[in-house]
């Protein structure tokens, strides 16, 4: 799982990948040519979202603030269409098939940005979660890995957000104006539960921003921070008075918005078919868990042998709070050794960078996740495996017991670190992947599909208790692919989804709430991408084994998949059929 994208960016139809590691030292000619095209789009979009450009490594945009000015959507669409015309002409004349493929990726991204922006403007009132946006951007700008020279620009960014920088208007005032401008045409407001959730986190984000500046040692920020505190608290009062009365009681979005979200994350089949696939998968996984659970119970001397009871007993073997980081570090070292011994995939020659999340990070993203570094101009920054400990603002049921017990560390590490996300980005970019494939081909299906596939690749080498929890997490992904569409299509209600996750998957109350919130308002449409992407990769892997027979090489296949970058899965399948299989057949 990646850290969440700001609600404001999602509202504008943009899906911007978090920054990534540096490119290989020697850049092939086709990648250099492709990157020149991608830079054009990056610069075009940086006019509207400079924070994303800065996070991706375009340092000339450090300290610059998001454009929430009048007619933003119209100006954004006009700029995207102008850039589209340039790429369309280039695509027709381009002779290199790889560059042409990347131009198609860029054209698809532009088309989706335009479509999402138009849909949102037509159907939704324009509400911005300003506190979360500021915290998320400051968390990027004050990353300890990027150094004091760039940290100083974070103060300029905060001054722009607060209107203290010459010629700027406070971000909260711009957000209020956008809301007012959208109050027409029968549009629907945000979901009431989402607004209430963010109101409850305002103080957490304020404290988190103060902590970031203190840790970075940025001098002269007191006035801007004090102004921000006042503005964000006033903004919360404005939201209560103006946004809450216009919220909708139902979490369900207009159907066109939900359909677009599915397409945006990479799910290209009807949701009913996804649900049917997931139902069958759930049944098969549960049967396997019922067979394995008695073996785990025997190993540990548990009295009960039902898979839910065995999981509950495993959760009692908690990692002490002061031992979480060293415990996970030991697991990661064992995983690295196993990857090398079993020749699963080529791995980086440096250890995983792992840390505990702050309170504000946990409020923004309560589950463990991977935070990648920037793509452009990387000076040694590495991806970070962030171990979250739950949402501190979630109330009395906020205790998670899903991530801090010993048996869970294996599959969580395999997904977020190695051979999952951390390896995925570190390796593909160290070997040389175009920025179009790293930034603009990204969707949840191809990214999360790899991480879930990585879990399955490592599972045979885990102790049996780790294997049982890996199956539980697969059960969760299958449940997501069922529950998210069913909830958003009106086939079930949140209380039914809650009971299913508690009684069939065995999640804590807190994790269950996080999941149902995710399906209903945090990120509807995204949750099914894990299982769908995994299924597509598993199908491609099996088809490749059938084609190659004894010549199939697991390590070579896994390396090839990572080397392609975040290609859409149809293009990935084409690359395997036309490049990988012929080369392997000649060996």
């Amino acid at each position: 799982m990646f850290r969440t994208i700001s609600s404001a960016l999602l509202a504008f139809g943009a899906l911007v990948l978090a920054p990534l590691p540096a490119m290989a030292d020697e850049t092939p000619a086709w990648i250099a040519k492709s990157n020149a095209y991608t830079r054009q789009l990056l610069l075009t979009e940086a006019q509207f979202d400079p924070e994303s450009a800065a996070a991706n490594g375009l340092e000339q945009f450090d300290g610059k603030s998001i454009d929430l000015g009048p007619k933003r959507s119209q100006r954004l669409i006009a700029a995207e269409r102008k850039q589209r015309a340039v790429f369309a002409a280039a695509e027709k004349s381009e002779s290199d098939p790889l560059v042409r493929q990347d131009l198609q990726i860029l054209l698809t991204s532009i088309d989706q940005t335009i479509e999402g922006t138009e849909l949102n403007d037509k159907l939704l009132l324009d509400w911005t979660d300003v506190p979360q946006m500021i915290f998320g951007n400051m968390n990027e700008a004050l990353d300890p890995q990027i150094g004091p020279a760039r940290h100083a620009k974070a103060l300029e960014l905060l001054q722009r957000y607060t209107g203290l920088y010459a010629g700027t208007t406070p971000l909260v005032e711009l957000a209020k104006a956008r809301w007012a401008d959208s109050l027409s045409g029968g549009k629907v407001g945000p979901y009431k539960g989402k607004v209430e959730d963010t109101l409850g986190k305002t103080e957490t984000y304020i404290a988190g921003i103060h902590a970031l500046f203190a840790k970075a040692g940025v001098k002269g920020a007191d006035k801007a921070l004090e102004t921000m505190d006042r503005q964000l608290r006033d903004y919360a009062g404005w939201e209560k008075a103006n946004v809450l009365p216009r919220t909708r009681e139902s979490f369900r979005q207009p159907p066109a918005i939900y359909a677009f979200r599915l397409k945006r994350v990479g799910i290209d089949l009807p949701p009913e078919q996804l649900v049917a696939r997931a139902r069958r998968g759930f049944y098969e996984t549960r049967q396997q868990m019922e067979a394995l659970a008695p073996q785990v119970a025997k190993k540990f001397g548990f009295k009960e042998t039902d898979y839910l009871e065995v999981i509950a007993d495993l959760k009692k073997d908690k990692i002490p709070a002061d031992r979480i980081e060293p415990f996970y570090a030991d697991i990661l070292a064992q995983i690295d050794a196993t990857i090398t011994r079993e020749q699963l995939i080529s791995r980086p020659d440096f250890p995983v960078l792992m840390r505990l999340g702050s309170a504000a990070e946990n409020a923004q993203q309560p589950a463990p996740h991977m935070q990648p570094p920037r793509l452009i101009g990387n000076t040694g920054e590495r991806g970070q495996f962030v171990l979250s400990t739950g949402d501190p603002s979630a109330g009395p049921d906020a205790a998670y017991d899903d991530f801090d017990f010993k048996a869970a560390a294996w599959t969580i590490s395999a997904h977020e670190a190695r051979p999952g996300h951390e390896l995925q980005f570190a390796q593909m970019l160290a070997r040389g992947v175009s920025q179009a494939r790293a930034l603009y081909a990204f969707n949840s299906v191809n990214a999360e599909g790899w991480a879930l596939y990585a879990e399955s690749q490592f599972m045979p080498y885990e102790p049996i208790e780790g294997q049982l929890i890996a199956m539980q997490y697969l059960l969760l992904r299958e449940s997501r692919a069922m529950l998210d569409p069913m909830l958003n299509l009106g086939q079930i209600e949140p209380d039914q989804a809650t009971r299913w996750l508690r009684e069939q998957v065995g999640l804590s109350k807190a994790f269950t709430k996080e999941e149902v919130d995710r399906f209903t308002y945090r990120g509807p449409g995204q949750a099914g991408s894990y299982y769908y992407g995994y299924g597509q990769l598993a199908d491609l892997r099996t088809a490749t084994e059938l084609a190659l027979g004894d010549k199939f090489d697991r390590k070579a296949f896994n390396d090839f998949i990572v080397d392609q970058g975040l290609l859409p899965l149809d293009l990935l399948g084409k690359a395997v059929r036309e490049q990988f299989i012929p080369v392997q057949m000649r060996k």
Side-chain angles (χ1 to χ4, degrees), residues 22-42:
M23 303 293 292
D25 292 336
E26 296 182 4
T27 304
W30 79 267
I31 291 182
K33 189 173 185 180
S34 171
N35 286 353
Y37 285 123
T38 302
R39 188 175 182 85
Q40 293 179 36
L41 186 54
L42 285 167

Side-chain angles (χ1 to χ4, degrees), residues 314-325:
L314 287 173
K315 286 184 174 183
K316 296 175 184 177
D317 191 13
K318 292 194 174 298
I319 309 165
D322 62 347
R323 293 291 303 163
I324 289 178
E325 288 188 83

Side-chain angles (χ1 to χ4, degrees), residues 478-533:
E478 291 158 346
S479 295
R480 286 173 174 173
M482 290 188 289
L483 300 177
D484 187 301
M486 294 176 74
L487 281 162
N488 285 283
L489 296 176
Q491 297 174 359
I492 59 171
E493 296 300 324
D495 62 334
Q496 294 171 277
T498 296
R499 287 198 302 273
W500 181 270
L501 293 172
R502 293 281 290 148
E503 298 170 7
Q504 296 294 328
V505 185
L507 303 187
S508 66
K509 288 183 180 180
F511 197 12
T512 296
K513 182 181 184 303
E514 178 192 335
E515 287 294 307
V516 176
D517 289 351
R518 177 186 198 163
F519 308 153
T520 53
Y521 70 85
R522 280 181 180 266
Q526 188 268 346
S529 61
Y530 296 72
Y531 184 65
Y532 181 60

Side-chain angles (χ1 to χ4, degrees), residues 165-177:
Y165 196 87
T168 62
T169 301
L171 190 63
V172 291
E173 298 305 321
L174 295 171
K176 291 175 187 179

